[in-house]
Amino acid sequence: MRLDPRHHLLDRTPARDWTDAYPIGNGHLGAMVFGDPQQDRLQVNDAGVWRGRPDPRSLPAGAAAAVLEAREAALRGDVQAADAATRRTQSGNAQMYQPFLDLRIHRSTGGSPPAPSARMLDLRNGWAITIAEQLRAVTGVSMADDVLLDRRALGSPTDLALSVSSPHEQSVAARTASHPGAVVLVEALRVGASVDPDAGGDDAVRTPGSFTESVHASWALELRSDGTASADLAAPAPSIRVHGATWVELRLVSATQFAADGTLRVPDAAALEAEVLDHLHRLAPLGHAELATRAEEAHRELYERVDLDLAAPSGPTPSPYRDRSPAAMPTTAQRLDDLRADPEHADGPDLVALLAHMGRYLLISGGVGEGPPLNLQGIWNESTAPPWFSDYTININTEMNYWPSGPGQLPEVLPVLRTWLELLSRQGERVAREVYGARGWTAHHNSDRWGFAAPVGDGQDRPQWSFWPLGGAWLTSTLVDLLRFTPEGPSPAAALAEGAARFVLDLLIELPDGTLGTAPSTSPENQFVLPDGTAGEVHVSTTSDLAIIRQLLTDLLEISRTTEVEEELLELAEAALSRLPGERVLPSGLIAEWSDDELTDLDPHHRHQSHLIGVYPGTGLDPRRDPALGQAARSSLVERGFESTGWSLAWRICLAARLEDAELGHRFLQRALHRVDADGTDPVTGGISGGVYSSLLCAHPPFQIDGNFGALAGVCEMLLQSHRVQDGHRELSLLPALPAAWSTGRARGLGARGGAVVDLGWTPQRVELAVHLPSGDPSADDYVVELDGAMHPLPTPEHGVARLSLTRTTGQDPHLPGRTGR
């Protein structure tokens, strides 16, 4: 077996901690594979297993009056009174995403426990693989057949014990198998509601008193082997015992009661049990080899759409680890440590490619299929009280989860997001009406699979992470932009955009200078300092509020060109856009985050850079159109620093790329690749640090998956940008932030807005380009190519593909004067 350092993760010891295990999944079922040859663990999740139910949540009496009181206080500068008033709008907490079950596989070896000679994650084929003495275990989750597959070749006859446990109340039974000699277990599981849907507190959980206040879930497990197998249902963990086997195969399927849109899909646990047993029965005629082939083909169809090679073998510094055996390849952790010790290490470009490919792997494994959208941990979680509830934090993290779906050519993840946003908008209409007296819909800082839309908290939470009514607007603009990468464009988001626009238009107020603004207003999770030294969180018209509103209203006008939108709404949007202030530059040369220049940041290195939303993912602050504003944005980004949480570093990569600062983006990338231990400790400095774990999962710390997706989006943005439209032509900006370390390379299959797909190959002298135009009525006239500041029309396509060979230039960057070019 030969490994590709861009597509394989490698370790030589079992995962000691959860974050060292390897993730597998198909968007519905997920598992973390620990790879222990003697006592293995598969920690399994079902994306539908959440606490709570889709029942409407109560809103606090007097919330609308509290908003008006907070507005008056903010306008007169009384930040303490504004803070106190916004707390009276809080309505409990979002619910928690839950673990599902644990499979533990004990192998009797009769001697010292064998260590794995290799533990690998094969990104291209979707398998976690463990190789040890007398063992080859291959585990994955099939997108084609919605089943977790595990096959263990044991060499000589071996005894095994497989146990199944869950942190939730479950009832396990044995059932007759369709396959001779197989053993089938089936389970009915219930997940308790919160202690009080309207109460706060991190420990708001309880054991359910009846099925009616629980989420139903069910799993069925089939074991096949050439040994003798029998079920043992005795407490505490039901198990299957196998004697004298040389191979064992597992098939696990699962189902939950509720559909992605929050409706009741099936009535009870009995219906779920019948469903999972029928699922196994339908798979029974298929052997493991056929199921594995179907799983690989479904995974590779998505995964192989894109490939990155940032250190092509023909380049000046070839990668040192291409085409090596597992024994000759350094572990992923060692590669990360080597790059940190030597930032010029020749493996650096391949590690960046591996990080990007890992992002696409996780987006496929966690985001494709039916179910709720990707939460803070994707679909992987082992804790009943996970960090930040493993819910949806929609002031950046949920948006970041989906940023790479367009450039990474994975539109399959968008229907789930759109379905959930429609649920969120229905809940948000009530919040808009009863809390703000507004039309349309809104959502705040946190949500869950049930569409919670109100300010979180029980009257005690800080406004900086509770009161922020722009969540619906930002999520809608995110969906609109990602739909631009599809041939149909943003029209499917029209209804969501209209509702979100109605809300923000009603939210805006006229300020004394005649402009429009927001009050009360916060900048997500950040604080300011008043001239007297007092810290505050609630003010008037933060830069992020205005940037999000500007983007949403601009999106609505674009949608109206192809989809009918109410004329009065369009007139109001156009009038509001003409009165919205743009970003301001402070005397310090930085972009202002607050509307009052006397306010300063409590933490200049804060993890959020919400005042730069107009740079990325927005388009309102364009460094080409306004170089001075672009330079202020760059200074603001540098001011935030190079030490932060993993996801924040990923956002900074994207911002640097959009600012077309190649070396700044590369520096953030290398910083994001710092390895941290499972407890978040930096092994070099000893402090708590953001970065990645040895599994390449993003370390906030703790684990948050959004950093993996943000890093992928940033790498794509460094290679290709398509957000500008010039005289009706979509601009394809080639290699806008290409660092010197990637002087020769290839990128195949990058998505561009308008539905085109771009293949790139480059050297220091030339760029070879192939643009695959969208099907239907492709026209090269729809696009113009930009390279090093020069514009080039696309030639006439042949068979839907336009090819172009361009000479590269060097020198000063034409867009940000005074900075060395690409």
Side-chain angles (χ1 to χ4, degrees), residues 491-523:
S491 295
L496 288 166
E498 288 183 55
R502 286 190 177 92
F503 173 75
V504 299
L505 287 169
D506 285 356
L507 184 71
L508 289 169
I509 61 172
E510 183 173 9
L511 298 176
D513 63 0
T515 64
L516 297 180
T518 55
S521 177
T522 59
S523 192

PDB file of all heavy atoms in Angstrom, residues 491-523:
ATOM      1  N   SER A 491     -31.985  32.231  -6.871  1.00  0.00           N
ATOM      2  CA  SER A 491     -33.450  32.326  -6.839  1.00  0.00           C
ATOM      3  C   SER A 491     -34.111  31.433  -5.790  1.00  0.00           C
ATOM      4  O   SER A 491     -35.114  31.840  -5.185  1.00  0.00           O
ATOM      5  CB  SER A 491     -34.019  32.009  -8.224  1.00  0.00           C
ATOM      6  OG  SER A 491     -33.621  32.985  -9.159  1.00  0.00           O
ATOM      7  N   PRO A 492     -33.614  30.196  -5.539  1.00  0.00           N
ATOM      8  CA  PRO A 492     -34.285  29.368  -4.525  1.00  0.00           C
ATOM      9  C   PRO A 492     -34.320  29.982  -3.131  1.00  0.00           C
ATOM     10  O   PRO A 492     -35.110  29.545  -2.294  1.00  0.00           O
ATOM     11  CB  PRO A 492     -33.450  28.077  -4.538  1.00  0.00           C
ATOM     12  CG  PRO A 492     -32.885  28.007  -5.916  1.00  0.00           C
ATOM     13  CD  PRO A 492     -32.591  29.433  -6.273  1.00  0.00           C
ATOM     14  N   ALA A 493     -33.473  30.968  -2.883  1.00  0.00           N
ATOM     15  CA  ALA A 493     -33.463  31.616  -1.565  1.00  0.00           C
ATOM     16  C   ALA A 493     -34.333  32.864  -1.528  1.00  0.00           C
ATOM     17  O   ALA A 493     -34.275  33.624  -0.550  1.00  0.00           O
ATOM     18  CB  ALA A 493     -32.028  31.972  -1.175  1.00  0.00           C
ATOM     19  N   ALA A 494     -35.140  33.094  -2.563  1.00  0.00           N
ATOM     20  CA  ALA A 494     -35.883  34.347  -2.664  1.00  0.00           C
ATOM     21  C   ALA A 494     -36.798  34.583  -1.470  1.00  0.00           C
ATOM     22  O   ALA A 494     -36.817  35.680  -0.887  1.00  0.00           O
ATOM     23  CB  ALA A 494     -36.685  34.373  -3.970  1.00  0.00           C
ATOM     24  N   ALA A 495     -37.585  33.574  -1.081  1.00  0.00           N
ATOM     25  CA  ALA A 495     -38.530  33.770   0.017  1.00  0.00           C
ATOM     26  C   ALA A 495     -37.806  34.057   1.327  1.00  0.00           C
ATOM     27  O   ALA A 495     -38.223  34.924   2.116  1.00  0.00           O
ATOM     28  CB  ALA A 495     -39.426  32.541   0.153  1.00  0.00           C
ATOM     29  N   LEU A 496     -36.725  33.342   1.588  1.00  0.00           N
ATOM     30  CA  LEU A 496     -35.933  33.591   2.798  1.00  0.00           C
ATOM     31  C   LEU A 496     -35.369  35.008   2.781  1.00  0.00           C
ATOM     32  O   LEU A 496     -35.389  35.714   3.797  1.00  0.00           O
ATOM     33  CB  LEU A 496     -34.799  32.579   2.902  1.00  0.00           C
ATOM     34  CG  LEU A 496     -35.192  31.152   3.265  1.00  0.00           C
ATOM     35  CD1 LEU A 496     -34.031  30.198   2.990  1.00  0.00           C
ATOM     36  CD2 LEU A 496     -35.607  31.071   4.726  1.00  0.00           C
ATOM     37  N   ALA A 497     -34.863  35.440   1.636  1.00  0.00           N
ATOM     38  CA  ALA A 497     -34.265  36.771   1.539  1.00  0.00           C
ATOM     39  C   ALA A 497     -35.322  37.861   1.714  1.00  0.00           C
ATOM     40  O   ALA A 497     -35.061  38.892   2.360  1.00  0.00           O
ATOM     41  CB  ALA A 497     -33.550  36.924   0.197  1.00  0.00           C
ATOM     42  N   GLU A 498     -36.513  37.656   1.147  1.00  0.00           N
ATOM     43  CA  GLU A 498     -37.570  38.655   1.315  1.00  0.00           C
ATOM     44  C   GLU A 498     -37.937  38.805   2.783  1.00  0.00           C
ATOM     45  O   GLU A 498     -38.085  39.925   3.287  1.00  0.00           O
ATOM     46  CB  GLU A 498     -38.796  38.253   0.499  1.00  0.00           C
ATOM     47  CG  GLU A 498     -38.632  38.399  -0.996  1.00  0.00           C
ATOM     48  CD  GLU A 498     -39.905  38.053  -1.736  1.00  0.00           C
ATOM     49  OE1 GLU A 498     -40.968  38.646  -1.438  1.00  0.00           O
ATOM     50  OE2 GLU A 498     -39.859  37.168  -2.609  1.00  0.00           O
ATOM     51  N   GLY A 499     -38.106  37.668   3.478  1.00  0.00           N
ATOM     52  CA  GLY A 499     -38.469  37.745   4.893  1.00  0.00           C
ATOM     53  C   GLY A 499     -37.387  38.370   5.738  1.00  0.00           C
ATOM     54  O   GLY A 499     -37.671  39.206   6.622  1.00  0.00           O
ATOM     55  N   ALA A 500     -36.136  37.999   5.495  1.00  0.00           N
ATOM     56  CA  ALA A 500     -35.031  38.588   6.258  1.00  0.00           C
ATOM     57  C   ALA A 500     -34.898  40.067   5.963  1.00  0.00           C
ATOM     58  O   ALA A 500     -34.584  40.869   6.854  1.00  0.00           O
ATOM     59  CB  ALA A 500     -33.732  37.842   5.932  1.00  0.00           C
ATOM     60  N   ALA A 501     -35.131  40.470   4.708  1.00  0.00           N
ATOM     61  CA  ALA A 501     -35.038  41.884   4.343  1.00  0.00           C
ATOM     62  C   ALA A 501     -36.147  42.704   4.998  1.00  0.00           C
ATOM     63  O   ALA A 501     -35.916  43.835   5.454  1.00  0.00           O
ATOM     64  CB  ALA A 501     -35.100  42.028   2.822  1.00  0.00           C
ATOM     65  N   ARG A 502     -37.354  42.159   5.048  1.00  0.00           N
ATOM     66  CA  ARG A 502     -38.445  42.888   5.717  1.00  0.00           C
ATOM     67  C   ARG A 502     -38.080  43.158   7.180  1.00  0.00           C
ATOM     68  O   ARG A 502     -38.362  44.243   7.704  1.00  0.00           O
ATOM     69  CB  ARG A 502     -39.747  42.087   5.627  1.00  0.00           C
ATOM     70  CG  ARG A 502     -40.386  42.107   4.256  1.00  0.00           C
ATOM     71  CD  ARG A 502     -41.791  41.508   4.278  1.00  0.00           C
ATOM     72  NE  ARG A 502     -42.414  41.614   2.961  1.00  0.00           N
ATOM     73  CZ  ARG A 502     -42.350  40.674   2.023  1.00  0.00           C
ATOM     74  NH1 ARG A 502     -41.720  39.530   2.293  1.00  0.00           N
ATOM     75  NH2 ARG A 502     -42.933  40.853   0.857  1.00  0.00           N
ATOM     76  N   PHE A 503     -37.454  42.156   7.806  1.00  0.00           N
ATOM     77  CA  PHE A 503     -37.089  42.372   9.207  1.00  0.00           C
ATOM     78  C   PHE A 503     -36.047  43.469   9.345  1.00  0.00           C
ATOM     79  O   PHE A 503     -36.203  44.379  10.166  1.00  0.00           O
ATOM     80  CB  PHE A 503     -36.570  41.085   9.837  1.00  0.00           C
ATOM     81  CG  PHE A 503     -36.036  41.300  11.224  1.00  0.00           C
ATOM     82  CD1 PHE A 503     -36.904  41.483  12.289  1.00  0.00           C
ATOM     83  CD2 PHE A 503     -34.667  41.400  11.460  1.00  0.00           C
ATOM     84  CE1 PHE A 503     -36.430  41.739  13.566  1.00  0.00           C
ATOM     85  CE2 PHE A 503     -34.179  41.640  12.733  1.00  0.00           C
ATOM     86  CZ  PHE A 503     -35.062  41.811  13.792  1.00  0.00           C
ATOM     87  N   VAL A 504     -34.949  43.415   8.583  1.00  0.00           N
ATOM     88  CA  VAL A 504     -33.895  44.408   8.786  1.00  0.00           C
ATOM     89  C   VAL A 504     -34.373  45.805   8.406  1.00  0.00           C
ATOM     90  O   VAL A 504     -33.942  46.803   9.017  1.00  0.00           O
ATOM     91  CB  VAL A 504     -32.600  44.044   8.025  1.00  0.00           C
ATOM     92  CG1 VAL A 504     -32.055  42.712   8.514  1.00  0.00           C
ATOM     93  CG2 VAL A 504     -32.792  44.042   6.521  1.00  0.00           C
ATOM     94  N   LEU A 505     -35.286  45.908   7.443  1.00  0.00           N
ATOM     95  CA  LEU A 505     -35.819  47.228   7.104  1.00  0.00           C
ATOM     96  C   LEU A 505     -36.641  47.793   8.252  1.00  0.00           C
ATOM     97  O   LEU A 505     -36.611  49.011   8.507  1.00  0.00           O
ATOM     98  CB  LEU A 505     -36.667  47.133   5.830  1.00  0.00           C
ATOM     99  CG  LEU A 505     -35.869  46.929   4.534  1.00  0.00           C
ATOM    100  CD1 LEU A 505     -36.799  46.573   3.385  1.00  0.00           C
ATOM    101  CD2 LEU A 505     -35.050  48.175   4.199  1.00  0.00           C
ATOM    102  N   ASP A 506     -37.369  46.928   8.960  1.00  0.00           N
ATOM    103  CA  ASP A 506     -38.118  47.392  10.131  1.00  0.00           C
ATOM    104  C   ASP A 506     -37.190  47.623  11.323  1.00  0.00           C
ATOM    105  O   ASP A 506     -37.530  48.417  12.225  1.00  0.00           O
ATOM    106  CB  ASP A 506     -39.186  46.368  10.511  1.00  0.00           C
ATOM    107  CG  ASP A 506     -40.374  46.404   9.564  1.00  0.00           C
ATOM    108  OD1 ASP A 506     -40.390  47.269   8.662  1.00  0.00           O
ATOM    109  OD2 ASP A 506     -41.272  45.549   9.702  1.00  0.00           O
ATOM    110  N   LEU A 507     -36.053  46.937  11.352  1.00  0.00           N
ATOM    111  CA  LEU A 507     -35.110  47.110  12.456  1.00  0.00           C
ATOM    112  C   LEU A 507     -34.391  48.452  12.369  1.00  0.00           C
ATOM    113  O   LEU A 507     -34.055  49.061  13.403  1.00  0.00           O
ATOM    114  CB  LEU A 507     -34.076  45.970  12.418  1.00  0.00           C
ATOM    115  CG  LEU A 507     -33.053  45.911  13.540  1.00  0.00           C
ATOM    116  CD1 LEU A 507     -33.723  45.491  14.852  1.00  0.00           C
ATOM    117  CD2 LEU A 507     -31.937  44.927  13.192  1.00  0.00           C
ATOM    118  N   LEU A 508     -34.132  48.930  11.163  1.00  0.00           N
ATOM    119  CA  LEU A 508     -33.374  50.163  10.976  1.00  0.00           C
ATOM    120  C   LEU A 508     -34.146  51.365  11.524  1.00  0.00           C
ATOM    121  O   LEU A 508     -35.375  51.445  11.416  1.00  0.00           O
ATOM    122  CB  LEU A 508     -33.080  50.380   9.493  1.00  0.00           C
ATOM    123  CG  LEU A 508     -32.050  49.435   8.862  1.00  0.00           C
ATOM    124  CD1 LEU A 508     -32.068  49.576   7.346  1.00  0.00           C
ATOM    125  CD2 LEU A 508     -30.658  49.712   9.415  1.00  0.00           C
ATOM    126  N   ILE A 509     -33.405  52.291  12.100  1.00  0.00           N
ATOM    127  CA  ILE A 509     -33.980  53.539  12.593  1.00  0.00           C
ATOM    128  C   ILE A 509     -33.208  54.710  12.000  1.00  0.00           C
ATOM    129  O   ILE A 509     -32.048  54.569  11.582  1.00  0.00           O
ATOM    130  CB  ILE A 509     -33.937  53.620  14.128  1.00  0.00           C
ATOM    131  CG1 ILE A 509     -32.489  53.557  14.638  1.00  0.00           C
ATOM    132  CG2 ILE A 509     -34.785  52.527  14.754  1.00  0.00           C
ATOM    133  CD1 ILE A 509     -32.340  53.820  16.114  1.00  0.00           C
ATOM    134  N   GLU A 510     -33.847  55.862  11.964  1.00  0.00           N
ATOM    135  CA  GLU A 510     -33.167  57.059  11.481  1.00  0.00           C
ATOM    136  C   GLU A 510     -32.362  57.672  12.624  1.00  0.00           C
ATOM    137  O   GLU A 510     -32.885  57.871  13.736  1.00  0.00           O
ATOM    138  CB  GLU A 510     -34.166  58.079  10.942  1.00  0.00           C
ATOM    139  CG  GLU A 510     -33.482  59.314  10.356  1.00  0.00           C
ATOM    140  CD  GLU A 510     -34.460  60.254   9.667  1.00  0.00           C
ATOM    141  OE1 GLU A 510     -35.688  60.037   9.780  1.00  0.00           O
ATOM    142  OE2 GLU A 510     -33.994  61.205   9.017  1.00  0.00           O
ATOM    143  N   LEU A 511     -31.101  57.961  12.357  1.00  0.00           N
ATOM    144  CA  LEU A 511     -30.214  58.562  13.348  1.00  0.00           C
ATOM    145  C   LEU A 511     -30.186  60.080  13.178  1.00  0.00           C
ATOM    146  O   LEU A 511     -30.620  60.613  12.143  1.00  0.00           O
ATOM    147  CB  LEU A 511     -28.817  57.961  13.208  1.00  0.00           C
ATOM    148  CG  LEU A 511     -28.736  56.449  13.469  1.00  0.00           C
ATOM    149  CD1 LEU A 511     -27.340  55.922  13.227  1.00  0.00           C
ATOM    150  CD2 LEU A 511     -29.210  56.106  14.879  1.00  0.00           C
ATOM    151  N   PRO A 512     -29.676  60.807  14.163  1.00  0.00           N
ATOM    152  CA  PRO A 512     -29.697  62.270  14.098  1.00  0.00           C
ATOM    153  C   PRO A 512     -29.030  62.855  12.857  1.00  0.00           C
ATOM    154  O   PRO A 512     -29.412  63.948  12.401  1.00  0.00           O
ATOM    155  CB  PRO A 512     -28.954  62.679  15.376  1.00  0.00           C
ATOM    156  CG  PRO A 512     -29.224  61.558  16.325  1.00  0.00           C
ATOM    157  CD  PRO A 512     -29.240  60.329  15.484  1.00  0.00           C
ATOM    158  N   ASP A 513     -28.047  62.173  12.281  1.00  0.00           N
ATOM    159  CA  ASP A 513     -27.375  62.711  11.092  1.00  0.00           C
ATOM    160  C   ASP A 513     -28.087  62.362   9.796  1.00  0.00           C
ATOM    161  O   ASP A 513     -27.585  62.653   8.702  1.00  0.00           O
ATOM    162  CB  ASP A 513     -25.924  62.225  11.027  1.00  0.00           C
ATOM    163  CG  ASP A 513     -25.816  60.706  10.894  1.00  0.00           C
ATOM    164  OD1 ASP A 513     -26.859  60.030  10.855  1.00  0.00           O
ATOM    165  OD2 ASP A 513     -24.675  60.200  10.829  1.00  0.00           O
ATOM    166  N   GLY A 514     -29.258  61.719   9.879  1.00  0.00           N
ATOM    167  CA  GLY A 514     -30.032  61.384   8.700  1.00  0.00           C
ATOM    168  C   GLY A 514     -29.736  60.016   8.114  1.00  0.00           C
ATOM    169  O   GLY A 514     -30.459  59.570   7.217  1.00  0.00           O
ATOM    170  N   THR A 515     -28.694  59.358   8.583  1.00  0.00           N
ATOM    171  CA  THR A 515     -28.403  58.003   8.110  1.00  0.00           C
ATOM    172  C   THR A 515     -29.303  57.007   8.828  1.00  0.00           C
ATOM    173  O   THR A 515     -29.975  57.330   9.815  1.00  0.00           O
ATOM    174  CB  THR A 515     -26.932  57.635   8.350  1.00  0.00           C
ATOM    175  OG1 THR A 515     -26.685  57.616   9.761  1.00  0.00           O
ATOM    176  CG2 THR A 515     -25.998  58.631   7.673  1.00  0.00           C
ATOM    177  N   LEU A 516     -29.296  55.775   8.343  1.00  0.00           N
ATOM    178  CA  LEU A 516     -30.017  54.698   8.995  1.00  0.00           C
ATOM    179  C   LEU A 516     -29.040  53.867   9.807  1.00  0.00           C
ATOM    180  O   LEU A 516     -27.878  53.701   9.433  1.00  0.00           O
ATOM    181  CB  LEU A 516     -30.726  53.810   7.962  1.00  0.00           C
ATOM    182  CG  LEU A 516     -31.816  54.482   7.123  1.00  0.00           C
ATOM    183  CD1 LEU A 516     -32.411  53.482   6.144  1.00  0.00           C
ATOM    184  CD2 LEU A 516     -32.909  55.081   8.013  1.00  0.00           C
ATOM    185  N   GLY A 517     -29.529  53.313  10.909  1.00  0.00           N
ATOM    186  CA  GLY A 517     -28.671  52.499  11.761  1.00  0.00           C
ATOM    187  C   GLY A 517     -29.492  51.568  12.623  1.00  0.00           C
ATOM    188  O   GLY A 517     -30.710  51.425  12.451  1.00  0.00           O
ATOM    189  N   THR A 518     -28.815  50.920  13.565  1.00  0.00           N
ATOM    190  CA  THR A 518     -29.450  49.962  14.460  1.00  0.00           C
ATOM    191  C   THR A 518     -29.178  50.354  15.906  1.00  0.00           C
ATOM    192  O   THR A 518     -28.094  50.796  16.251  1.00  0.00           O
ATOM    193  CB  THR A 518     -28.924  48.540  14.215  1.00  0.00           C
ATOM    194  OG1 THR A 518     -27.499  48.535  14.335  1.00  0.00           O
ATOM    195  CG2 THR A 518     -29.313  48.046  12.838  1.00  0.00           C
ATOM    196  N   ALA A 519     -30.179  50.176  16.747  1.00  0.00           N
ATOM    197  CA  ALA A 519     -30.031  50.389  18.184  1.00  0.00           C
ATOM    198  C   ALA A 519     -31.170  49.642  18.869  1.00  0.00           C
ATOM    199  O   ALA A 519     -32.324  49.771  18.449  1.00  0.00           O
ATOM    200  CB  ALA A 519     -30.088  51.880  18.534  1.00  0.00           C
ATOM    201  N   PRO A 520     -30.836  48.822  19.879  1.00  0.00           N
ATOM    202  CA  PRO A 520     -29.501  48.528  20.392  1.00  0.00           C
ATOM    203  C   PRO A 520     -28.718  47.648  19.423  1.00  0.00           C
ATOM    204  O   PRO A 520     -29.295  46.944  18.595  1.00  0.00           O
ATOM    205  CB  PRO A 520     -29.795  47.773  21.693  1.00  0.00           C
ATOM    206  CG  PRO A 520     -31.123  47.119  21.443  1.00  0.00           C
ATOM    207  CD  PRO A 520     -31.898  48.078  20.591  1.00  0.00           C
ATOM    208  N   SER A 521     -27.389  47.711  19.530  1.00  0.00           N
ATOM    209  CA  SER A 521     -26.541  47.019  18.587  1.00  0.00           C
ATOM    210  C   SER A 521     -25.333  46.434  19.309  1.00  0.00           C
ATOM    211  O   SER A 521     -24.777  47.066  20.210  1.00  0.00           O
ATOM    212  CB  SER A 521     -26.068  48.003  17.495  1.00  0.00           C
ATOM    213  OG  SER A 521     -25.196  47.393  16.591  1.00  0.00           O
ATOM    214  N   THR A 522     -24.939  45.210  18.905  1.00  0.00           N
ATOM    215  CA  THR A 522     -23.727  44.587  19.449  1.00  0.00           C
ATOM    216  C   THR A 522     -22.848  44.120  18.291  1.00  0.00           C
ATOM    217  O   THR A 522     -23.314  43.939  17.168  1.00  0.00           O
ATOM    218  CB  THR A 522     -24.060  43.380  20.337  1.00  0.00           C
ATOM    219  OG1 THR A 522     -24.784  42.416  19.559  1.00  0.00           O
ATOM    220  CG2 THR A 522     -24.878  43.778  21.551  1.00  0.00           C
ATOM    221  N   SER A 523     -21.568  43.937  18.577  1.00  0.00           N
ATOM    222  CA  SER A 523     -20.643  43.323  17.630  1.00  0.00           C
ATOM    223  C   SER A 523     -20.306  41.961  18.211  1.00  0.00           C
ATOM    224  O   SER A 523     -19.761  41.874  19.322  1.00  0.00           O
ATOM    225  CB  SER A 523     -19.378  44.161  17.462  1.00  0.00           C
ATOM    226  OG  SER A 523     -18.620  43.729  16.360  1.00  0.00           O
TER     227      SER A 523
END
